[in-house]
Amino acid sequence: MRTLIAVTALLLAHWPTGPLAAQAHATMGHAGHAGHQATPATTDDSAFRALQQRGKGTMGVDQDASRHRFEDLPDGGRIELQMRDADSAGIAAIRAHLRQAAQQFTDGIFSAPDTTHAMTVPGTTVMAARKGTIRYTYHELPQGGEVRITTTDAEALAAVRQFLAFQRSDHRAGG
């Protein structure tokens, strides 16, 4: 019992509190929590800024002015991209990007996410190999659009979930 009390006291003595804890919590974000919005990049986060810049080139919209969601669903998932504010040019760019992404993904081509993330994105190798078992459907949303991903293939479903989890984490986006 004394050991448990000593360990608890030690942990509490070193538990982060105050402004530094809040800053660390905000910097880590809540990637993967459904409905939570993206955490804006901090000025010292050069890797995230580089990702945002590559994303702007790939998607045609300012990443800070738009909102990503990568949601797991029982039969696959969905990728949502919408402008935060009314911006007809941004909305049109998002819609064009997502229509093209849905077609490229259908064809087993994942060059847009690979370019944005400067690597082969986890899950895409299997998604390309199993392309015949996965369906990608584009839908317009008020401020942009979404790509709905569906499959009944267990291997493809695992790859889709891996892809979406990576996207959530790297984009610091909600579920």
Side-chain angles (χ1 to χ4, degrees):
M1 183 69 170
R2 276 188 287 175
T3 304
L4 179 60
I5 292 170
V7 169
T8 303
L10 182 63
L11 286 172
L12 289 174
H14 291 88
W15 194 263
T17 61
L20 290 177
Q23 180 181 357
H25 182 72
T27 301
M28 289 187 315
H30 292 282
H33 291 279
H36 193 76
Q37 300 309 313
T39 302
T42 59
T43 55
D44 63 328
D45 192 345
S46 60
F48 187 70
R49 282 196 320 267
L51 169 74
Q52 295 289 79
Q53 192 60 37
R54 288 188 305 271
K56 182 178 181 181
T58 303
M59 296 172 228
V61 295
D62 181 341
Q63 300 296 281
D64 291 326
S66 60
R67 178 184 68 246
H68 276 95
R69 284 189 59 166
F70 301 94
E71 183 178 13
D72 289 344
L73 296 170
D75 62 348
R78 71 185 197 107
I79 303 165
E80 177 186 317
L81 180 56
Q82 295 197 68
M83 294 300 296
R84 294 182 185 279
D85 298 313
D87 172 357
S88 59
I91 293 167
I94 286 172
R95 290 175 177 167
H97 165 68
L98 290 178
R99 276 192 300 270
Q100 180 179 30
Q103 184 56 59
Q104 288 179 339
F105 292 1
T106 297
D107 295 338
I109 301 168
F110 293 90
S111 55
D114 290 352
T115 298
T116 298
H117 298 279
M119 63 179 284
T120 300
V121 173
T124 58
T125 302
V126 173
M127 290 166 70
R130 310 288 300 165
K131 68 182 181 183
T133 67
I134 307 171
R135 184 172 177 197
Y136 302 92
T137 309
Y138 166 77
H139 301 280
E140 282 190 8
L141 296 174
Q143 297 285 91
E146 72 173 2
V147 174
R148 180 71 167 85
I149 307 167
T150 57
T151 186
T152 57
D153 181 87
E155 186 179 354
L157 181 60
V160 167
R161 292 209 172 123
Q162 184 181 24
F163 171 78
L164 294 171
F166 174 82
Q167 295 280 11
R168 266 191 304 276
S169 175
D170 219 31
H171 282 284
R172 301 177 182 175

